[in-house]
Amino acid sequence: LTPKHFCQTNKMGKILIVITSNDALGSTDKKTGVWIEELASPYYAFKAAGHTMTLASPKGGAPPIDAGSLAEAFYTAEAKKFKEEDAETMKAFAETVKLSECDMANFDAIFYPGGHGPLWDLATDAKSLSLILDADKAGKPIGAVCHGPCVFKNAKGKSGDSLVKGKKVTGFTNVEEGHVSLTEVVPFLLEDALKAEGGVFSNADPWHSHVVTDGNLVTGQNPQSSPATAAALLTLIK
């Protein structure tokens, strides 16, 4: 099957994981991308629960990886397995499906890992926004962790209002952004953006796990929240 056919196969227990294609850290000369642990940890949690995953990105092909997530302190055993040791994930990551070829009707849930990359592409990607809207209309679980919730900044829900309006949410905080010295680099602060759209934002202390579920929406605060975010999303998948 071609990637397009794979993406359109209707099968229960399928999770669409949407990954950034952006490697530019704003106007700096530094690079960013997906935070690999926030992809790997949920991926293996979903797999252990018996689901199958499709990896997709705006441009298709191999997404960029934030080099910071490969540092010893963050490069977990699962992340290393995903990137270097697991032939299945290495192939899927190298050959992500183009987001434009995906239809939410063929998936049971949608999930967004973070890294700073999504702030510049997925936050405004029309196809991503349409997938989120379609998922919400169908009552399907929608999950995101760390900077992943930036995809909800411009997302509409089934009500026609902002997806996060009146909903309990979390994400990478202003304080945490300050800790990584990128407050002046990012196009917007995630915490401020979710609050501006009417989200009821909560958080734990910096770099501590915190996950919020409100209806079909699951959000996690930071990299430490990846396992719990995946576990919460799994409880919603029918």
Side-chain angles (χ1 to χ4, degrees), residues 81-82 84-92:
K81 178 183 176 182
F82 186 97
E84 298 180 36
E85 301 164 358
D86 186 334
E88 180 180 286
T89 55
M90 291 167 64
K91 185 175 190 297

Side-chain angles (χ1 to χ4, degrees), residues 110 112 128-144 148-169 193-194 197-200 214-219:
I110 188 168
Y112 291 83
S128 175
L129 295 173
S130 73
L131 288 167
I132 293 168
L133 176 58
D134 288 345
D136 197 47
K137 284 180 176 178
K140 293 178 179 179
I142 303 167
C150 75
V151 302
F152 306 138
K153 179 180 185 292
N154 298 298
K156 301 297 183 185
K158 59 186 176 183
S159 67
D161 291 324
S162 168
L163 178 76
V164 301
K165 184 178 180 180
K167 289 191 175 181
K168 298 173 184 176
V169 292
L194 293 176
E197 293 301 325
V200 182
D214 192 331
N216 62 321
L217 183 64
V218 178
T219 48

Side-chain angles (χ1 to χ4, degrees), residues 23-119:
D23 70 348
L25 191 64
S27 58
T28 71
D29 59 359
K30 297 179 180 178
K31 297 296 185 182
T32 185
V34 64
W35 196 264
I36 193 66
E37 182 274 336
E38 296 167 12
L39 169 60
S41 176
Y43 180 95
Y44 286 119
F46 300 154
K47 183 176 181 179
H51 300 295
T52 56
M53 286 64 65
T54 293
L55 307 185
S57 63
K59 294 181 180 178
I65 297 174
D66 191 306
S69 67
L70 302 178
E72 185 177 357
F74 302 106
Y75 199 37
T76 62
E78 283 183 317
K80 187 174 190 293
K81 178 183 176 182
F82 186 97
K83 183 179 182 293
E84 298 180 36
E85 301 164 358
D86 186 334
E88 180 180 286
T89 55
M90 291 167 64
K91 185 175 190 297
F93 189 78
E95 302 173 357
T96 68
V97 175
K98 280 190 176 181
L99 204 53
S100 60
E101 298 177 356
C102 296
D103 185 336
M104 199 60 220
N106 300 328
F107 297 95
D108 302 296
I110 188 168
F111 177 75
Y112 291 83
H116 282 84
L119 294 168

Side-chain angles (χ1 to χ4, degrees), residues 166-187:
K167 289 191 175 181
K168 298 173 184 176
V169 292
T170 190
F172 204 64
T173 64
N174 293 353
V175 171
E176 288 167 321
E177 203 67 79
H179 285 179
V180 297
S181 303
L182 291 174
T183 301
E184 304 302 322
V185 173
V186 294

